[in-house]
Amino acid sequence: MPSVPELAPQDVGTPVPVSPHVPAETYTYDYIIVGGGTAGSVLASRLSEDPSVSVLVIEQGPVADTWASRVPVISGNPYRDGTLATTWWSLPMPQVNGRALQVMRGEALGGTSRINSLLYTRGPPGDYNRWKELGCEGWGYDDLQPFFVRSEDTISHPSSKFRGKKGPWQNRQFITFPYTVLNHVITAISGANIKHIPDLNDPSAPAAAAASLDVIEDKKYERASTYRAFLPPNVAQERKARLKICTNSIAMRVEFAEEDGKEIRAKGVHFEAMNPRKAGQTFYVEARREIVLSAGALGSPQLLMLSGIGPKEHLEEKGVPVLRDMPAVGSHLQDHIGVPLTYEVPMSDSLHQLENSKIAAIKAALNYLLTGRGLFSNPFQSMTIMVPTHLLNDNHSRVIISDPAEVDASVPSKRPDIELMPLGLNSTDADIPGKGIFTLLPTLILPKSEGSVRLATSNPRAKPDVDLGFFEDPMDYVPLRKGMRLALSFAEAIRHEGYPLKDLIVPESNSDEDLERFIRKNLRDCFHYTSTCRMGAAPHGPHPSVVDQELRVHGVRGLRVCDTSVFPEIVSSHTMAPAVVVAEKCAELMKVAAGKVHQE
């Protein structure tokens, strides 16, 4: 079985200081991509389709293509031995009892698509039409739909104008549920006047809807990460003469050169092996055409700031020479805010049966090995409920729709602002041993609050300081309180059906005060970080941004950003599929730009 050719810094770059006797062509590539994660893998694959182009990917993590990394239920557990997830603590948030939360990302080829909950959700058209409202021409839903279709190979849905069958990235839908409690959730959905639809990714889906979810599992019921879909071993081997993948390596800074007296161009990248015993031996690579930062919404702003592009006062404080004062770098961080309501259920109706019963775990493993089915292939989340809270009735238990136009999710103001996730597992930050757990997770998906990513030190090996900024805008309590009341009404409806649902961690009452107290004590982040290098018209002004509509860093030639950090605002969905559509569009923009250069 072929494997990805993993290269080291000395295989692709030249030692620093650069010797004038080393031929430049030995360390020069047409494109350098910093970060081979969810978006970076897609971009590297698309750019290297051209046999005349050379591409270098610098990835902080390994390939680590093990059996466990492909099994859905194992790979999605960030606390297991051998996980590809990296975690550290956010800064304490004084506005929520001084709480600090774990920050998480995937560090491997394929990035967070190697460790996440597998969910392929594009978000309603209104998410992208909102980007267009903000001045990002070419980024409305109709502009992006062809790119969604291009990447996709849906196993469960028929081919259509909005669903693809010819792309490399497979997804499927599980229409039967692994836990009986979810059948009672379906009844609660009906009682709340929420429509159950066949495809949440249908652009005509109403804003208030429930659906079984698409998940990135291939025909063998294995995790279809963007690494396995876009840069699998056979593709990497076939293109190894022009596509170099340098793993276990960390970018230190981008090198710039002056052009025309005042313009600057991104020229190259300084990088090292991740191995701390090799720290200090720096290598250098150079780009003929462009450098692209695809290090994620936490990594891309960090690298820009290390390179001298960011908020002037912050860079000066950290001792980084300022190249460009750009206040939006690392600012405007957004994430979805979840508050788990935790219940005890029979152990047989919870994923935790795998932890508490060796027999259940062995049966599930054998079932997966023989058939590809069962708990090892079932996603952590099988279905979801989307709700615009302004349509809830007075006690927030039922959606009231007087006109179908009220749930037209192509209109930005009518999008859902709460996602209610039913999960057959513990979603809190603490262990609850020996119990079967079911969670109702109301999640604020259109937060107003913003946080930031800042340098902890000028050492690139130090993780950045992440201030999640939850409830910096107290208006975020309003929809989340409504979402929690809806979740509590679902729990009552499930009990009314006769299902044995026992309270474990729930609010004392549904008063505003008790709900807000519970939120502050129990909230969690969703690892959907966005908007720290956001797209917009200018680096200063009423909507300061980092990149333009072609993802080019303002005022810098030859440098783009391509990951969720460029989102003008967070989307009301899980962010993996939107990250891929950004990469597909970026690849197209870069190919067009290269064509124009050749024509000139």
Side-chain angles (χ1 to χ4, degrees), residues 370-447:
L370 294 172
T371 69
R373 302 305 301 273
L375 287 177
F376 272 44
S377 66
N378 278 111
F380 292 106
Q381 184 183 352
S382 301
M383 62 173 296
T384 204
I385 303 110
M386 313 299 288
V387 181
T389 57
H390 68 275
L391 295 179
L392 289 171
N393 64 358
D394 289 343
N395 66 2
H396 307 143
S397 64
R398 184 176 172 82
V399 172
I400 305 297
I401 303 169
S402 55
D403 183 338
E406 292 178 329
V407 287
D408 180 357
S410 69
V411 179
S413 62
K414 296 177 181 177
R415 291 173 290 167
D417 53 358
I418 287 288
E419 179 179 4
L420 178 54
M421 309 182 206
L423 306 168
L425 49 82
N426 175 16
S427 187
T428 71
D429 292 331
D431 287 334
I432 306 176
K435 295 182 185 293
I437 303 295
F438 174 71
T439 299
L440 288 169
L441 182 63
T443 302
L444 180 62
I445 51 177
L446 289 178

Side-chain angles (χ1 to χ4, degrees), residues 460-588:
R461 293 175 180 269
K463 294 290 190 277
D465 283 342
V466 178
D467 178 1
L468 292 166
F470 290 170
F471 297 101
E472 284 285 356
D473 188 331
M475 287 304 294
D476 282 342
Y477 281 112
V478 177
L480 198 43
R481 287 196 310 256
K482 293 178 180 180
M484 290 180 68
R485 290 189 180 108
L486 179 65
L488 290 166
S489 74
F490 270 46
E492 287 306 309
I494 292 167
R495 288 193 187 99
H496 186 71
E497 290 265 300
Y499 185 85
L501 192 71
K502 298 179 183 177
D503 290 350
L504 273 183
I505 307 172
V506 296
E508 290 183 18
S509 78
N510 65 1
S511 71
D512 286 0
E513 295 78 11
D514 281 344
L515 291 178
E516 290 184 14
R517 190 179 302 114
F518 187 87
I519 287 169
R520 286 188 289 272
K521 184 177 180 181
N522 295 281
L523 63 79
R524 55 162 301 161
D525 58 337
C526 294
F527 319 122
H528 297 160
Y529 314 117
T530 75
S531 308
T532 50
C533 297
R534 68 183 185 183
M535 190 190 326
H540 301 276
H543 189 81
S545 59
V546 178
V547 299
D548 66 12
Q549 295 160 20
E550 297 195 10
L551 308 183
R552 300 171 299 197
V553 175
H554 293 305
V556 182
R557 295 179 181 175
L559 182 63
R560 299 190 202 229
V561 182
C562 173
D563 52 41
T564 60
S565 71
V566 305
F567 291 10
E569 285 183 358
I570 197 166
V571 292
S572 60
S573 74
H574 303 253
T575 50
M576 177 173 56
V580 170
V581 88
V582 165
E584 290 278 22
K585 171 118 181 174
C586 184
E588 183 89 347

Side-chain angles (χ1 to χ4, degrees), residues 36-38 41 59-64 84 106-112 114-115 227:
T38 301
S41 290
E59 167 53 41
Q60 198 159 316
V63 174
L84 299 174
E107 290 188 2
L109 197 63
T112 302
R114 300 284 298 277
I115 65 163
Y227 149 59

Side-chain angles (χ1 to χ4, degrees), residues 10 166 252 379 420 462-463:
Q10 62 267 26
K166 297 178 181 177
M252 312 301 279
L420 178 54
K463 294 290 190 277

